[in-house]
C-alpha cells in the first residue's frame, strides 16, 4: 500500500531519527514564535507544510516506492526513490535558489530523503514521514521569513539519517537472508 507497509523494518533505536527531528522542529518553531510572526504567515507556513509533506512524500516515498518494489530490491528502491526526490529540488534555481548552491542542496536533500525513507520503514507508515517532512520545512522557512535563526543542531540530523538508512537497509537484507 502507498501509506502503510505490511511490516516494519529496522532496529528500534532508529526511532532516534524521528525523535531528534521532532525536537529540532519544536526548537525551530519556538525560535520563530519569539519573532511574533503574523497569523497570515503562520497559516501560509502550515498550508505549505501540509502540501509539501503530503505531495513530495506521496510521490517519492509513497507511489514510487510501491511501484519500484515490484521490480527492484529494497536497496535499489531506496536509491532510485531518493535520487528522484533530490532531483525534484533542482528546479528551485528557477525560483531564486543560487545555482552555485544547488549541488549542496541536492546532496543534503538526498540525505534527508534517505532519512524519510528510513522513517517510513521503521514506522511502517508514510504518514510519519509526511508529518515530519512538512513540519521540518515549515519550521525552517518560517524562521527564515521572520529573520530568525534556525537551530544549529539541526545539522546533527544528517549523520543520524545516514546511520539509520544504512541500519534499516542492512536489517532488511539480513531478515530477507534468514527467511529466504
Amino acid at each position: 500500500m502507498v501509506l502503510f507497509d505490511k511490516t516494519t523494518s529496522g532496529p528500534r533505536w532508529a526511532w532516534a531519527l524521528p525523535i531528534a527531528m521532532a525536537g529540532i522542529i519544536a526548537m525551530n518553531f519556538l525560535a520563530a514564535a519569539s519573532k511574533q510572526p503574523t497569523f497570515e504567515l503562520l497559516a501560509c507556513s502550515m498550508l505549505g507544510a501540509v502540501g509539501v509533506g503530503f505531495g513530495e512524500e506521496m510521490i517519492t516515498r509513497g507511489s514510487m516506492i510501491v511501484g519500484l518494489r515490484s521490480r527492484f530490491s529494497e536497496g535499489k528502491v531506496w536509491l532510485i526513490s531518493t535520487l528522484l526526490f533530490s532531483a525534484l529540488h533542482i528546479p528551485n534555481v528557477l525560483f531564486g535558489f543560487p545555482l552555485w548552491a544547488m549541488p549542496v542542496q541536492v546532496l543534503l536533500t538526498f540525505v534527508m530523503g534517505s532519512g524519510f525513507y528510513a522513517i517510513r520503514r521503521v514506522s511502517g507508515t508514510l504518514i510519519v514521514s509526511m508529518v515530519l517532512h512538512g513540519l521540518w520545512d515549515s519550521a525552517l522557512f518560517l524562521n527564515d521569513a521572520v529573520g530568525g535563526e534556525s537551530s544549529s543542531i539541526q545539522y546533527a540530523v544528517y549523520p543520524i539519517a545516514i546511520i539509520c538508512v544504512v541500519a534499516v537497509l542492512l536489517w532488511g537484507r539480513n531478515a530477507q537472508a534468514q527467511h529466504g
Side-chain angles (χ1 to χ4, degrees):
M1 286 184 76
V2 173
L3 290 177
F4 299 98
D5 289 331
K6 292 178 183 172
T7 61
T8 60
S9 179
R12 287 187 199 216
W13 60 258
W15 276 96
L17 177 59
I19 291 167
M21 289 180 71
I24 293 167
I25 289 166
M27 286 190 296
N28 283 336
F29 273 126
L30 288 171
S34 72
K35 299 285 187 174
Q36 300 178 338
T38 65
F39 173 78
E40 290 82 8
L41 184 57
L42 285 172
C44 287
S45 177
M46 288 298 113
L47 287 173
V50 170
V52 168
F54 178 82
E56 288 184 358
E57 292 301 317
M58 183 59 80
I59 292 166
T60 58
R61 272 166 290 284
S63 301
M64 187 176 296
I65 282 179
V66 171
L68 291 171
R69 281 180 176 161
S70 68
R71 301 192 70 194
F72 298 105
S73 67
E74 197 63 30
K76 287 180 182 172
V77 168
W78 155 75
L79 181 61
I80 294 167
S81 64
T82 305
L83 284 170
L84 291 172
F85 172 70
S86 295
L88 283 175
H89 294 79
I90 293 172
N92 288 348
V93 297
L94 301 174
F95 304 105
F97 195 81
L99 182 60
W100 61 267
M102 182 51 60
V104 173
Q105 185 187 37
V106 168
L107 175 65
L108 294 178
T109 303
F110 181 84
V111 174
M112 285 301 286
S114 295
F116 290 129
Y117 170 87
I119 291 168
R120 178 192 170 124
R121 296 299 310 275
V122 169
S123 68
T125 180
L126 183 60
I127 296 168
V128 177
S129 293
M130 286 176 162
V131 170
L132 288 172
H133 186 164
L135 291 174
W136 182 270
D137 284 1
S138 180
L140 291 177
F141 296 147
L142 186 60
N143 250 312
D144 194 39
V146 297
E149 292 282 327
S150 296
S151 171
S152 60
I153 67 166
Q154 71 191 21
Y155 299 106
V157 166
Y158 295 101
I160 296 169
I162 292 168
I163 292 166
C164 287
V165 78
V166 168
V168 165
L169 289 169
L170 289 174
W171 183 282
R173 190 167 71 182
N174 291 340
Q176 188 178 30
Q178 289 175 352
H179 298 296

mmCIF file with all atom_site columns, all heavy atoms in Angstrom, residues 101-122:
data_model
loop_
_atom_site.group_PDB
_atom_site.id
_atom_site.type_symbol
_atom_site.label_atom_id
_atom_site.label_alt_id
_atom_site.label_comp_id
_atom_site.label_asym_id
_atom_site.label_entity_id
_atom_site.label_seq_id
_atom_site.pdbx_PDB_ins_code
_atom_site.Cartn_x
_atom_site.Cartn_y
_atom_site.Cartn_z
_atom_site.occupancy
_atom_site.B_iso_or_equiv
_atom_site.pdbx_formal_charge
_atom_site.auth_seq_id
_atom_site.auth_comp_id
_atom_site.auth_asym_id
_atom_site.auth_atom_id
_atom_site.pdbx_PDB_model_num
ATOM 1   N N   . ALA A 1 101 ? 24.804 27.001 -5.218 1.00 0.00 ? 101 ALA A N   1
ATOM 2   C CA  . ALA A 1 101 ? 24.463 26.254 -4.005 1.00 0.00 ? 101 ALA A CA  1
ATOM 3   C C   . ALA A 1 101 ? 23.653 24.984 -4.299 1.00 0.00 ? 101 ALA A C   1
ATOM 4   O O   . ALA A 1 101 ? 23.418 24.185 -3.402 1.00 0.00 ? 101 ALA A O   1
ATOM 5   C CB  . ALA A 1 101 ? 23.684 27.148 -3.043 1.00 0.00 ? 101 ALA A CB  1
ATOM 6   N N   . MET A 1 102 ? 23.238 24.813 -5.539 1.00 0.00 ? 102 MET A N   1
ATOM 7   C CA  . MET A 1 102 ? 22.381 23.682 -5.879 1.00 0.00 ? 102 MET A CA  1
ATOM 8   C C   . MET A 1 102 ? 23.014 22.323 -5.577 1.00 0.00 ? 102 MET A C   1
ATOM 9   O O   . MET A 1 102 ? 22.340 21.446 -5.032 1.00 0.00 ? 102 MET A O   1
ATOM 10  C CB  . MET A 1 102 ? 21.948 23.758 -7.350 1.00 0.00 ? 102 MET A CB  1
ATOM 11  C CG  . MET A 1 102 ? 21.006 22.639 -7.770 1.00 0.00 ? 102 MET A CG  1
ATOM 12  S SD  . MET A 1 102 ? 19.576 22.391 -6.690 1.00 0.00 ? 102 MET A SD  1
ATOM 13  C CE  . MET A 1 102 ? 18.774 23.967 -6.795 1.00 0.00 ? 102 MET A CE  1
ATOM 14  N N   . PRO A 1 103 ? 24.290 22.084 -5.907 1.00 0.00 ? 103 PRO A N   1
ATOM 15  C CA  . PRO A 1 103 ? 24.856 20.762 -5.589 1.00 0.00 ? 103 PRO A CA  1
ATOM 16  C C   . PRO A 1 103 ? 24.786 20.423 -4.092 1.00 0.00 ? 103 PRO A C   1
ATOM 17  O O   . PRO A 1 103 ? 24.504 19.277 -3.727 1.00 0.00 ? 103 PRO A O   1
ATOM 18  C CB  . PRO A 1 103 ? 26.309 20.856 -6.068 1.00 0.00 ? 103 PRO A CB  1
ATOM 19  C CG  . PRO A 1 103 ? 26.282 21.916 -7.119 1.00 0.00 ? 103 PRO A CG  1
ATOM 20  C CD  . PRO A 1 103 ? 25.234 22.905 -6.666 1.00 0.00 ? 103 PRO A CD  1
ATOM 21  N N   . VAL A 1 104 ? 24.985 21.403 -3.247 1.00 0.00 ? 104 VAL A N   1
ATOM 22  C CA  . VAL A 1 104 ? 24.909 21.163 -1.804 1.00 0.00 ? 104 VAL A CA  1
ATOM 23  C C   . VAL A 1 104 ? 23.463 20.841 -1.416 1.00 0.00 ? 104 VAL A C   1
ATOM 24  O O   . VAL A 1 104 ? 23.222 19.904 -0.644 1.00 0.00 ? 104 VAL A O   1
ATOM 25  C CB  . VAL A 1 104 ? 25.440 22.374 -0.998 1.00 0.00 ? 104 VAL A CB  1
ATOM 26  C CG1 . VAL A 1 104 ? 25.197 22.193 0.494  1.00 0.00 ? 104 VAL A CG1 1
ATOM 27  C CG2 . VAL A 1 104 ? 26.910 22.590 -1.293 1.00 0.00 ? 104 VAL A CG2 1
ATOM 28  N N   . GLN A 1 105 ? 22.506 21.594 -1.963 1.00 0.00 ? 105 GLN A N   1
ATOM 29  C CA  . GLN A 1 105 ? 21.110 21.315 -1.640 1.00 0.00 ? 105 GLN A CA  1
ATOM 30  C C   . GLN A 1 105 ? 20.705 19.922 -2.120 1.00 0.00 ? 105 GLN A C   1
ATOM 31  O O   . GLN A 1 105 ? 20.009 19.198 -1.408 1.00 0.00 ? 105 GLN A O   1
ATOM 32  C CB  . GLN A 1 105 ? 20.159 22.354 -2.232 1.00 0.00 ? 105 GLN A CB  1
ATOM 33  C CG  . GLN A 1 105 ? 18.726 22.079 -1.759 1.00 0.00 ? 105 GLN A CG  1
ATOM 34  C CD  . GLN A 1 105 ? 17.668 22.936 -2.400 1.00 0.00 ? 105 GLN A CD  1
ATOM 35  O OE1 . GLN A 1 105 ? 17.753 23.250 -3.574 1.00 0.00 ? 105 GLN A OE1 1
ATOM 36  N NE2 . GLN A 1 105 ? 16.665 23.292 -1.622 1.00 0.00 ? 105 GLN A NE2 1
ATOM 37  N N   . VAL A 1 106 ? 21.139 19.524 -3.288 1.00 0.00 ? 106 VAL A N   1
ATOM 38  C CA  . VAL A 1 106 ? 20.792 18.198 -3.810 1.00 0.00 ? 106 VAL A CA  1
ATOM 39  C C   . VAL A 1 106 ? 21.384 17.113 -2.908 1.00 0.00 ? 106 VAL A C   1
ATOM 40  O O   . VAL A 1 106 ? 20.717 16.125 -2.599 1.00 0.00 ? 106 VAL A O   1
ATOM 41  C CB  . VAL A 1 106 ? 21.243 18.051 -5.282 1.00 0.00 ? 106 VAL A CB  1
ATOM 42  C CG1 . VAL A 1 106 ? 21.155 16.610 -5.754 1.00 0.00 ? 106 VAL A CG1 1
ATOM 43  C CG2 . VAL A 1 106 ? 20.401 18.953 -6.180 1.00 0.00 ? 106 VAL A CG2 1
ATOM 44  N N   . LEU A 1 107 ? 22.616 17.297 -2.465 1.00 0.00 ? 107 LEU A N   1
ATOM 45  C CA  . LEU A 1 107 ? 23.246 16.319 -1.570 1.00 0.00 ? 107 LEU A CA  1
ATOM 46  C C   . LEU A 1 107 ? 22.508 16.246 -0.235 1.00 0.00 ? 107 LEU A C   1
ATOM 47  O O   . LEU A 1 107 ? 22.179 15.151 0.245  1.00 0.00 ? 107 LEU A O   1
ATOM 48  C CB  . LEU A 1 107 ? 24.716 16.674 -1.332 1.00 0.00 ? 107 LEU A CB  1
ATOM 49  C CG  . LEU A 1 107 ? 25.439 15.790 -0.313 1.00 0.00 ? 107 LEU A CG  1
ATOM 50  C CD1 . LEU A 1 107 ? 25.542 14.360 -0.813 1.00 0.00 ? 107 LEU A CD1 1
ATOM 51  C CD2 . LEU A 1 107 ? 26.809 16.357 -0.002 1.00 0.00 ? 107 LEU A CD2 1
ATOM 52  N N   . LEU A 1 108 ? 22.228 17.396 0.368  1.00 0.00 ? 108 LEU A N   1
ATOM 53  C CA  . LEU A 1 108 ? 21.526 17.404 1.654  1.00 0.00 ? 108 LEU A CA  1
ATOM 54  C C   . LEU A 1 108 ? 20.103 16.861 1.517  1.00 0.00 ? 108 LEU A C   1
ATOM 55  O O   . LEU A 1 108 ? 19.604 16.178 2.421  1.00 0.00 ? 108 LEU A O   1
ATOM 56  C CB  . LEU A 1 108 ? 21.524 18.808 2.262  1.00 0.00 ? 108 LEU A CB  1
ATOM 57  C CG  . LEU A 1 108 ? 22.892 19.346 2.664  1.00 0.00 ? 108 LEU A CG  1
ATOM 58  C CD1 . LEU A 1 108 ? 22.780 20.774 3.205  1.00 0.00 ? 108 LEU A CD1 1
ATOM 59  C CD2 . LEU A 1 108 ? 23.595 18.438 3.652  1.00 0.00 ? 108 LEU A CD2 1
ATOM 60  N N   . THR A 1 109 ? 19.473 17.132 0.389  1.00 0.00 ? 109 THR A N   1
ATOM 61  C CA  . THR A 1 109 ? 18.135 16.609 0.144  1.00 0.00 ? 109 THR A CA  1
ATOM 62  C C   . THR A 1 109 ? 18.182 15.090 -0.014 1.00 0.00 ? 109 THR A C   1
ATOM 63  O O   . THR A 1 109 ? 17.279 14.390 0.447  1.00 0.00 ? 109 THR A O   1
ATOM 64  C CB  . THR A 1 109 ? 17.521 17.273 -1.112 1.00 0.00 ? 109 THR A CB  1
ATOM 65  O OG1 . THR A 1 109 ? 17.519 18.681 -0.924 1.00 0.00 ? 109 THR A OG1 1
ATOM 66  C CG2 . THR A 1 109 ? 16.105 16.811 -1.353 1.00 0.00 ? 109 THR A CG2 1
ATOM 67  N N   . PHE A 1 110 ? 19.238 14.591 -0.622 1.00 0.00 ? 110 PHE A N   1
ATOM 68  C CA  . PHE A 1 110 ? 19.401 13.142 -0.733 1.00 0.00 ? 110 PHE A CA  1
ATOM 69  C C   . PHE A 1 110 ? 19.519 12.518 0.656  1.00 0.00 ? 110 PHE A C   1
ATOM 70  O O   . PHE A 1 110 ? 18.892 11.496 0.944  1.00 0.00 ? 110 PHE A O   1
ATOM 71  C CB  . PHE A 1 110 ? 20.630 12.792 -1.587 1.00 0.00 ? 110 PHE A CB  1
ATOM 72  C CG  . PHE A 1 110 ? 20.828 11.317 -1.754 1.00 0.00 ? 110 PHE A CG  1
ATOM 73  C CD1 . PHE A 1 110 ? 20.156 10.626 -2.741 1.00 0.00 ? 110 PHE A CD1 1
ATOM 74  C CD2 . PHE A 1 110 ? 21.670 10.617 -0.905 1.00 0.00 ? 110 PHE A CD2 1
ATOM 75  C CE1 . PHE A 1 110 ? 20.322 9.247  -2.892 1.00 0.00 ? 110 PHE A CE1 1
ATOM 76  C CE2 . PHE A 1 110 ? 21.844 9.248  -1.042 1.00 0.00 ? 110 PHE A CE2 1
ATOM 77  C CZ  . PHE A 1 110 ? 21.171 8.563  -2.040 1.00 0.00 ? 110 PHE A CZ  1
ATOM 78  N N   . VAL A 1 111 ? 20.303 13.141 1.529  1.00 0.00 ? 111 VAL A N   1
ATOM 79  C CA  . VAL A 1 111 ? 20.477 12.613 2.884  1.00 0.00 ? 111 VAL A CA  1
ATOM 80  C C   . VAL A 1 111 ? 19.152 12.663 3.646  1.00 0.00 ? 111 VAL A C   1
ATOM 81  O O   . VAL A 1 111 ? 18.760 11.684 4.296  1.00 0.00 ? 111 VAL A O   1
ATOM 82  C CB  . VAL A 1 111 ? 21.599 13.358 3.640  1.00 0.00 ? 111 VAL A CB  1
ATOM 83  C CG1 . VAL A 1 111 ? 21.674 12.907 5.086  1.00 0.00 ? 111 VAL A CG1 1
ATOM 84  C CG2 . VAL A 1 111 ? 22.938 13.147 2.947  1.00 0.00 ? 111 VAL A CG2 1
ATOM 85  N N   . MET A 1 112 ? 18.445 13.796 3.572  1.00 0.00 ? 112 MET A N   1
ATOM 86  C CA  . MET A 1 112 ? 17.152 13.892 4.264  1.00 0.00 ? 112 MET A CA  1
ATOM 87  C C   . MET A 1 112 ? 16.143 12.916 3.674  1.00 0.00 ? 112 MET A C   1
ATOM 88  O O   . MET A 1 112 ? 15.364 12.302 4.403  1.00 0.00 ? 112 MET A O   1
ATOM 89  C CB  . MET A 1 112 ? 16.594 15.319 4.196  1.00 0.00 ? 112 MET A CB  1
ATOM 90  C CG  . MET A 1 112 ? 17.285 16.294 5.118  1.00 0.00 ? 112 MET A CG  1
ATOM 91  S SD  . MET A 1 112 ? 17.197 15.842 6.861  1.00 0.00 ? 112 MET A SD  1
ATOM 92  C CE  . MET A 1 112 ? 15.498 16.239 7.232  1.00 0.00 ? 112 MET A CE  1
ATOM 93  N N   . GLY A 1 113 ? 16.153 12.760 2.356  1.00 0.00 ? 113 GLY A N   1
ATOM 94  C CA  . GLY A 1 113 ? 15.266 11.789 1.724  1.00 0.00 ? 113 GLY A CA  1
ATOM 95  C C   . GLY A 1 113 ? 15.559 10.376 2.206  1.00 0.00 ? 113 GLY A C   1
ATOM 96  O O   . GLY A 1 113 ? 14.643 9.572  2.415  1.00 0.00 ? 113 GLY A O   1
ATOM 97  N N   . SER A 1 114 ? 16.835 10.079 2.418  1.00 0.00 ? 114 SER A N   1
ATOM 98  C CA  . SER A 1 114 ? 17.218 8.777  2.975  1.00 0.00 ? 114 SER A CA  1
ATOM 99  C C   . SER A 1 114 ? 16.644 8.618  4.377  1.00 0.00 ? 114 SER A C   1
ATOM 100 O O   . SER A 1 114 ? 16.172 7.547  4.746  1.00 0.00 ? 114 SER A O   1
ATOM 101 C CB  . SER A 1 114 ? 18.740 8.644  3.009  1.00 0.00 ? 114 SER A CB  1
ATOM 102 O OG  . SER A 1 114 ? 19.270 8.640  1.705  1.00 0.00 ? 114 SER A OG  1
ATOM 103 N N   . GLY A 1 115 ? 16.699 9.704  5.138  1.00 0.00 ? 115 GLY A N   1
ATOM 104 C CA  . GLY A 1 115 ? 16.129 9.677  6.484  1.00 0.00 ? 115 GLY A CA  1
ATOM 105 C C   . GLY A 1 115 ? 14.634 9.454  6.461  1.00 0.00 ? 115 GLY A C   1
ATOM 106 O O   . GLY A 1 115 ? 14.104 8.652  7.243  1.00 0.00 ? 115 GLY A O   1
ATOM 107 N N   . PHE A 1 116 ? 13.932 10.129 5.562  1.00 0.00 ? 116 PHE A N   1
ATOM 108 C CA  . PHE A 1 116 ? 12.481 9.936  5.466  1.00 0.00 ? 116 PHE A CA  1
ATOM 109 C C   . PHE A 1 116 ? 12.152 8.511  5.026  1.00 0.00 ? 116 PHE A C   1
ATOM 110 O O   . PHE A 1 116 ? 11.158 7.929  5.466  1.00 0.00 ? 116 PHE A O   1
ATOM 111 C CB  . PHE A 1 116 ? 11.846 10.958 4.510  1.00 0.00 ? 116 PHE A CB  1
ATOM 112 C CG  . PHE A 1 116 ? 11.856 12.365 5.042  1.00 0.00 ? 116 PHE A CG  1
ATOM 113 C CD1 . PHE A 1 116 ? 12.339 13.408 4.276  1.00 0.00 ? 116 PHE A CD1 1
ATOM 114 C CD2 . PHE A 1 116 ? 11.370 12.657 6.310  1.00 0.00 ? 116 PHE A CD2 1
ATOM 115 C CE1 . PHE A 1 116 ? 12.346 14.705 4.756  1.00 0.00 ? 116 PHE A CE1 1
ATOM 116 C CE2 . PHE A 1 116 ? 11.377 13.955 6.805  1.00 0.00 ? 116 PHE A CE2 1
ATOM 117 C CZ  . PHE A 1 116 ? 11.869 14.981 6.020  1.00 0.00 ? 116 PHE A CZ  1
ATOM 118 N N   . TYR A 1 117 ? 12.982 7.945  4.157  1.00 0.00 ? 117 TYR A N   1
ATOM 119 C CA  . TYR A 1 117 ? 12.803 6.550  3.768  1.00 0.00 ? 117 TYR A CA  1
ATOM 120 C C   . TYR A 1 117 ? 12.959 5.644  4.995  1.00 0.00 ? 117 TYR A C   1
ATOM 121 O O   . TYR A 1 117 ? 12.134 4.751  5.227  1.00 0.00 ? 117 TYR A O   1
ATOM 122 C CB  . TYR A 1 117 ? 13.828 6.172  2.684  1.00 0.00 ? 117 TYR A CB  1
ATOM 123 C CG  . TYR A 1 117 ? 13.876 4.697  2.408  1.00 0.00 ? 117 TYR A CG  1
ATOM 124 C CD1 . TYR A 1 117 ? 13.015 4.119  1.491  1.00 0.00 ? 117 TYR A CD1 1
ATOM 125 C CD2 . TYR A 1 117 ? 14.761 3.870  3.095  1.00 0.00 ? 117 TYR A CD2 1
ATOM 126 C CE1 . TYR A 1 117 ? 13.038 2.761  1.248  1.00 0.00 ? 117 TYR A CE1 1
ATOM 127 C CE2 . TYR A 1 117 ? 14.791 2.511  2.861  1.00 0.00 ? 117 TYR A CE2 1
ATOM 128 C CZ  . TYR A 1 117 ? 13.933 1.956  1.944  1.00 0.00 ? 117 TYR A CZ  1
ATOM 129 O OH  . TYR A 1 117 ? 13.948 0.606  1.719  1.00 0.00 ? 117 TYR A OH  1
ATOM 130 N N   . ALA A 1 118 ? 14.013 5.868  5.782  1.00 0.00 ? 118 ALA A N   1
ATOM 131 C CA  . ALA A 1 118 ? 14.239 5.058  6.990  1.00 0.00 ? 118 ALA A CA  1
ATOM 132 C C   . ALA A 1 118 ? 13.068 5.199  7.960  1.00 0.00 ? 118 ALA A C   1
ATOM 133 O O   . ALA A 1 118 ? 12.634 4.213  8.566  1.00 0.00 ? 118 ALA A O   1
ATOM 134 C CB  . ALA A 1 118 ? 15.547 5.465  7.671  1.00 0.00 ? 118 ALA A CB  1
ATOM 135 N N   . ILE A 1 119 ? 12.533 6.413  8.089  1.00 0.00 ? 119 ILE A N   1
ATOM 136 C CA  . ILE A 1 119 ? 11.395 6.639  8.985  1.00 0.00 ? 119 ILE A CA  1
ATOM 137 C C   . ILE A 1 119 ? 10.181 5.842  8.506  1.00 0.00 ? 119 ILE A C   1
ATOM 138 O O   . ILE A 1 119 ? 9.471  5.238  9.310  1.00 0.00 ? 119 ILE A O   1
ATOM 139 C CB  . ILE A 1 119 ? 11.077 8.145  9.107  1.00 0.00 ? 119 ILE A CB  1
ATOM 140 C CG1 . ILE A 1 119 ? 12.205 8.851  9.866  1.00 0.00 ? 119 ILE A CG1 1
ATOM 141 C CG2 . ILE A 1 119 ? 9.732  8.373  9.784  1.00 0.00 ? 119 ILE A CG2 1
ATOM 142 C CD1 . ILE A 1 119 ? 12.153 10.366 9.790  1.00 0.00 ? 119 ILE A CD1 1
ATOM 143 N N   . ARG A 1 120 ? 9.950  5.834  7.211  1.00 0.00 ? 120 ARG A N   1
ATOM 144 C CA  . ARG A 1 120 ? 8.826  5.037  6.688  1.00 0.00 ? 120 ARG A CA  1
ATOM 145 C C   . ARG A 1 120 ? 9.016  3.570  7.021  1.00 0.00 ? 120 ARG A C   1
ATOM 146 O O   . ARG A 1 120 ? 8.087  2.893  7.451  1.00 0.00 ? 120 ARG A O   1
ATOM 147 C CB  . ARG A 1 120 ? 8.682  5.204  5.181  1.00 0.00 ? 120 ARG A CB  1
ATOM 148 C CG  . ARG A 1 120 ? 7.537  4.335  4.670  1.00 0.00 ? 120 ARG A CG  1
ATOM 149 C CD  . ARG A 1 120 ? 7.472  4.183  3.183  1.00 0.00 ? 120 ARG A CD  1
ATOM 150 N NE  . ARG A 1 120 ? 6.489  3.150  2.884  1.00 0.00 ? 120 ARG A NE  1
ATOM 151 C CZ  . ARG A 1 120 ? 5.443  3.310  2.100  1.00 0.00 ? 120 ARG A CZ  1
ATOM 152 N NH1 . ARG A 1 120 ? 5.231  4.455  1.507  1.00 0.00 ? 120 ARG A NH1 1
ATOM 153 N NH2 . ARG A 1 120 ? 4.612  2.313  1.901  1.00 0.00 ? 120 ARG A NH2 1
ATOM 154 N N   . ARG A 1 121 ? 10.209 3.046  6.846  1.00 0.00 ? 121 ARG A N   1
ATOM 155 C CA  . ARG A 1 121 ? 10.464 1.621  7.091  1.00 0.00 ? 121 ARG A CA  1
ATOM 156 C C   . ARG A 1 121 ? 10.337 1.283  8.572  1.00 0.00 ? 121 ARG A C   1
ATOM 157 O O   . ARG A 1 121 ? 9.769  0.266  8.936  1.00 0.00 ? 121 ARG A O   1
ATOM 158 C CB  . ARG A 1 121 ? 11.857 1.230  6.589  1.00 0.00 ? 121 ARG A CB  1
ATOM 159 C CG  . ARG A 1 121 ? 12.078 1.351  5.096  1.00 0.00 ? 121 ARG A CG  1
ATOM 160 C CD  . ARG A 1 121 ? 11.160 0.474  4.246  1.00 0.00 ? 121 ARG A CD  1
ATOM 161 N NE  . ARG A 1 121 ? 11.129 -0.900 4.668  1.00 0.00 ? 121 ARG A NE  1
ATOM 162 C CZ  . ARG A 1 121 ? 11.975 -1.847 4.318  1.00 0.00 ? 121 ARG A CZ  1
ATOM 163 N NH1 . ARG A 1 121 ? 12.949 -1.579 3.476  1.00 0.00 ? 121 ARG A NH1 1
ATOM 164 N NH2 . ARG A 1 121 ? 11.840 -3.076 4.769  1.00 0.00 ? 121 ARG A NH2 1
ATOM 165 N N   . VAL A 1 122 ? 10.886 2.144  9.429  1.00 0.00 ? 122 VAL A N   1
ATOM 166 C CA  . VAL A 1 122 ? 10.858 1.877  10.873 1.00 0.00 ? 122 VAL A CA  1
ATOM 167 C C   . VAL A 1 122 ? 9.435  1.996  11.425 1.00 0.00 ? 122 VAL A C   1
ATOM 168 O O   . VAL A 1 122 ? 9.017  1.203  12.268 1.00 0.00 ? 122 VAL A O   1
ATOM 169 C CB  . VAL A 1 122 ? 11.819 2.821  11.622 1.00 0.00 ? 122 VAL A CB  1
ATOM 170 C CG1 . VAL A 1 122 ? 11.618 2.763  13.118 1.00 0.00 ? 122 VAL A CG1 1
ATOM 171 C CG2 . VAL A 1 122 ? 13.256 2.472  11.288 1.00 0.00 ? 122 VAL A CG2 1
#
